[in-house]
Amino acid sequence: MYEPIRTKSVHTMARTTPDFPHRSREEELDIQLAGHLAALLTVTDELRALAPSDDLDAAAERLAGQVARLRGGRPPVRSSVTAAGHDPHTAALHQRAHALAGRALVVAASRADTAAAILAAERMDAHSAALPDRRELSATG
């Protein structure tokens, strides 16, 4: 009537290994900071295509360096953006860059990454100064 199960069950209990969670808080913050800085780099590259400047070129290189450092030496993927924009689009990009730099600053401060925090704060100041009407930043954030 009853025959014992001879194979392993497909219903196994979850393992309680000592390495859970798989990533530490610092690793999660590194991933989050790298993501914010990579997004800021993308917007910076778009702005460079619309209005090339030495400041944006230097900022893009510093951002790429920070992203690579946080990703264990792997450089970020960069796209080539063609220049085809107008001033309202540029202002929106500066607003977006300001917001991304703010997010990066919060995470960098949380993980005590001074280099990334300084870079993010500098980018916030630069994008704030680039806006024709600075009240736009307070209205969106």
Side-chain angles (χ1 to χ4, degrees):
M1 297 210 148
Y2 172 74
E3 184 175 339
I5 299 172
R6 295 184 183 161
T7 61
K8 287 187 176 184
S9 173
V10 294
H11 304 287
T12 59
M13 297 296 291
R15 289 186 284 164
T16 55
T17 58
D19 64 341
F20 184 79
H22 297 286
R23 290 189 281 245
S24 68
R25 181 176 188 275
E26 290 78 23
E27 291 170 325
E28 289 293 338
L29 289 174
D30 283 349
I31 292 166
Q32 191 175 33
L33 180 58
H36 290 315
L37 291 176
L40 180 57
L41 175 60
T42 299
V43 175
T44 301
D45 283 341
E46 288 182 46
L47 284 166
R48 287 175 55 217
L50 294 172
S53 76
D54 291 338
D55 178 52
L56 288 173
D57 291 342
E61 291 309 312
R62 289 178 62 201
L63 286 166
Q66 288 295 320
V67 172
R69 177 182 63 86
L70 290 165
R71 290 183 175 167
R74 292 185 324 245
V77 175
R78 308 218 10 215
S79 64
S80 59
V81 181
T82 59
H86 51 285
D87 286 337
H89 180 66
T90 303
L93 285 174
H94 280 293
Q95 279 185 306
R96 184 166 180 227
H98 184 273
L100 288 167
R103 290 182 191 123
L105 178 59
V106 169
V107 177
S110 148
R111 68 178 294 278
D113 188 334
T114 307
I118 290 171
L119 177 58
E122 288 173 0
R123 296 318 308 153
M124 282 182 73
D125 289 343
H127 292 294
S128 176
L131 285 171
D133 185 7
R134 293 183 186 188
R135 288 179 294 165
E136 292 178 26
L137 288 177
S138 62
T140 61

